[in-house]
Amino acid sequence: MKRTLCTTLFLAAALSACDSKSDDGKAQAENAAASSVASTQESTPAASSQKIVDVYQLDIAGVRLGMSWDEATAAVKEKMQLTDKDIEPEPYPDKDEKTGEKIPAYFSVKHGHGAGNKMTVRFRPDYLHGQPEKRVVSSVDYQKERGAKEDGSEMFKAAEEKYGEPVRMTGNEGSGTVFYIWCGDDCGIDSDPKLSLVKSTFFINLRLDDPRYENAIKEQERKDNPPKF
């Protein structure tokens, strides 16, 4: 029994004085063991928080949220070994209300052979950081056609290797749509930055987006157009 107690206390508290038979020695060992247990319990939340993802450190083909047009095009050209001719800006952009310029809201590049295999990078005025004169990346979509040779498993494996284990998963194969999500602590799907991989019936889409850019624009529009009675 004494040997068992000594071994247990050694493992729990890493004590070196287990062979002491005095009450003081036992009290010290028990206190150390309790401290060890408490320390383990306190570290549990930290262990779970390792899955929390800083979405702004992630990229799709080199493109990150918040990049400028020049930064994004340079990044995707380097990563995918493209030229300027491979970058396809929005063909019919709207005029900017303030400047009157026609500024493309997105560009796309093709990858693979299918017509649906493309990457699209979208930009929004940066009202989120109080710099609406700047247009920055608000979302990136990397889409592949789904077929007999591409069920999404290879793309998910590649995403997991690059970004780590997803924080959440919703849906199931039986329903036809599965969502894998990487995001920050207690993130809201419609309100916080996130990376998602969606496997649907026809497409597999890897999406990096921050809805706060769009929400900031809507908030500014509400301020600029208050209710009038």
Side-chain angles (χ1 to χ4, degrees):
M1 292 295 290
K2 291 181 179 179
R3 290 179 179 177
T4 301
L5 174 61
C6 291
T7 302
T8 302
L9 293 174
F10 179 83
L11 293 174
L15 297 174
S16 60
C18 182
D19 58 346
S20 173
K21 297 182 181 179
S22 67
D23 291 339
D24 290 342
K26 290 181 180 180
Q28 291 176 358
E30 290 171 357
N31 289 338
S35 175
S36 176
V37 171
S39 176
T40 301
Q41 291 175 340
E42 290 174 359
S43 66
T44 300
S48 63
S49 68
Q50 290 177 357
K51 292 179 65 176
I52 295 173
V53 176
D54 182 356
V55 178
Y56 270 75
Q57 297 304 312
L58 306 183
D59 72 89
I60 296 179
V63 181
R64 289 189 173 94
L65 294 170
M67 280 185 167
S68 67
W69 181 282
D70 290 342
E71 289 172 334
T73 53
V76 75
K77 284 191 294 184
E78 179 180 356
K79 190 71 174 183
M80 299 179 70
Q81 297 183 340
L82 304 175
T83 66
D84 288 334
K85 293 181 180 179
D86 298 311
I87 305 294
E88 300 179 5
E90 179 185 12
Y92 305 106
D94 295 328
K95 284 186 178 182
D96 184 272
E97 294 181 357
K98 294 184 177 180
T99 65
E101 294 181 75
K102 290 187 175 182
I103 303 175
Y106 67 86
F107 71 78
S108 60
V109 296
K110 294 179 180 178
H111 63 85
H113 300 293
N117 293 342
K118 63 180 181 179
M119 174 176 166
T120 304
V121 181
R122 298 186 181 278
F123 297 80
R124 290 288 183 270
D126 193 4
Y127 282 94
L128 178 62
H129 300 102
Q131 297 177 311
E133 70 281 0
K134 294 184 178 180
R135 290 177 177 261
V136 297
V137 175
S138 62
S139 68
V140 185
D141 287 278
Y142 186 94
Q143 181 176 277
K144 291 190 71 175
E145 292 180 344
R146 185 167 182 171
K149 295 182 179 180
E150 179 56 81
D151 62 357
S153 58
E154 289 187 5
M155 197 159 169
F156 172 73
K157 181 180 179 182
E160 193 172 38
E161 288 177 354
K162 181 171 182 175
Y163 308 117
E165 184 181 355
V167 174
R168 302 182 194 173
M169 186 196 84
T170 60
N172 57 70
E173 295 289 350
S175 68
T177 304
V178 183
F179 296 81
Y180 299 97
I181 299 169
W182 292 258
C183 60
D185 191 19
D186 295 327
C187 64
I189 300 303
D190 297 322
S191 58
D192 293 308
K194 65 186 177 300
L195 173 74
S196 59
L197 176 63
V198 180
K199 296 195 295 182
S200 64
T201 305
F202 301 105
F203 294 101
I204 305 151
N205 193 60
L206 184 65
R207 179 176 175 81
L208 183 62
D209 78 299
D210 188 347
R212 297 179 302 172
Y213 285 108
E214 189 65 32
N215 294 338
I217 292 174
K218 292 178 180 178
E219 179 62 27
Q220 186 62 46
E221 289 175 348
R222 282 193 290 267
K223 291 179 179 179
D224 293 341
N225 301 281
K228 296 180 180 179
F229 301 96

